[in-house]
Amino acid sequence: MTIDKIKQAAVLHFSQKGYEGASLADIAADAGIKKQSLYTYFQSKDQLFLHTIDDVVKAEIQFIDSSLKNNSDSSGEEILYALLGNFRNKFHTANETRFLLRICFFPPEHLHSSVMEKSYLYLDSFESKLSAFMAQRLEKPQAAEEAAIAFLSVFDAAMLELLYGGEKRFERRVAALWPFYLHGLHALGGTLK
């Protein structure tokens, strides 16, 4: 379907070049249509960008959901640590993940409020899913929300390092933060089963 091809091409270009650097002509060409035909589906670059965010947010929320649910044999600590690694891998292999991280940290100025509304939907859903996960696995479930927020702080630091510093700096940041996170987690909520 043409609209799906347009959105896939848009994700690729927005993830690589940002909003400002992405060209509608290049997006249309990658989708196999002329630039003028793109306007049949989207009235503007802004509209295409915002629709693309909606699709990416849904896909990334599903990824988080499945990552937290499909590992019942692993400990909670192993699942969370693996989640960081899975996001690192997705950053290198999935345009959607690069796109979402890029726009969360660098939204286009004129679309800032609309983009941040969608970003907060993603982050709030991520926090909610983490809180539910923590509540099921912590010895002290009342600490679930704080444990989820703390994990998101580790996640943010690691992803920002991945965006700016690359793979080695990401690994270094995670290696330094992880023991402190676990220590705080154990002090706050006990063991994460």
Side-chain angles (χ1 to χ4, degrees):
M1 180 187 257
T2 303
I3 198 161
D4 293 331
K5 289 181 183 177
I6 293 169
K7 287 181 181 181
Q8 287 173 356
V11 167
L12 172 67
H13 287 273
F14 289 137
S15 72
Q16 291 178 344
K17 301 172 186 171
Y19 175 87
E20 290 80 9
S23 155
L24 287 180
D26 291 342
I27 292 169
D30 281 358
I33 61 173
K34 295 182 188 234
K35 181 180 174 183
Q36 297 84 345
S37 299
L38 191 137
Y39 292 109
T40 303
Y41 303 96
F42 299 98
Q43 295 175 349
S44 65
K45 185 177 182 179
D46 290 356
Q47 186 185 39
L48 173 59
F49 186 77
L50 293 173
H51 277 287
T52 302
I53 294 171
D54 290 338
D55 290 350
V56 167
V57 164
K58 286 177 192 169
E60 292 297 309
I61 289 171
Q62 287 175 344
F63 169 75
I64 292 164
D65 203 30
S66 67
S67 294
L68 294 175
K69 288 183 178 176
N70 289 338
N71 295 300
S72 58
D73 292 343
S74 301
S75 73
E77 292 175 10
E78 291 169 332
I79 292 168
L80 292 178
Y81 191 79
L83 186 59
L84 291 171
N86 291 341
F87 266 101
R88 179 203 55 225
N89 295 341
K90 280 187 60 151
F91 178 81
H92 293 301
T93 61
N95 294 323
E96 293 80 7
T97 302
R98 274 193 312 279
F99 172 74
L100 185 59
L101 288 175
R102 186 174 190 143
I103 63 114
C104 282
F105 289 112
F106 310 111
E109 187 64 35
H110 72 288
L111 295 174
H112 186 272
S113 61
S114 297
V115 170
M116 293 315 297
E117 181 180 313
K118 293 171 188 296
S119 295
Y120 287 132
L121 171 70
Y122 167 71
L123 293 171
D124 290 346
S125 181
F126 196 170
E127 182 182 323
S128 175
K129 290 180 184 307
L130 280 170
S131 291
F133 174 81
M134 300 283 194
Q136 293 175 345
R137 291 186 172 251
L138 278 174
E139 287 177 359
K140 300 175 187 172
Q142 64 273 20
E145 185 176 346
E146 291 85 1
I149 292 169
F151 178 81
L152 284 174
S153 296
V154 172
F155 175 83
D156 286 346
M159 293 304 114
L160 195 57
E161 197 64 74
L162 195 56
L163 279 169
Y164 279 118
E167 182 80 20
K168 286 184 180 183
R169 293 184 66 88
F170 167 87
E171 293 293 340
R172 186 171 176 241
R173 181 68 53 103
V174 171
L177 286 172
W178 193 248
F180 286 97
Y181 173 71
L182 292 180
H183 179 73
L185 183 65
H186 294 159
L188 179 70
T191 304
L192 189 61
K193 307 176 255 177

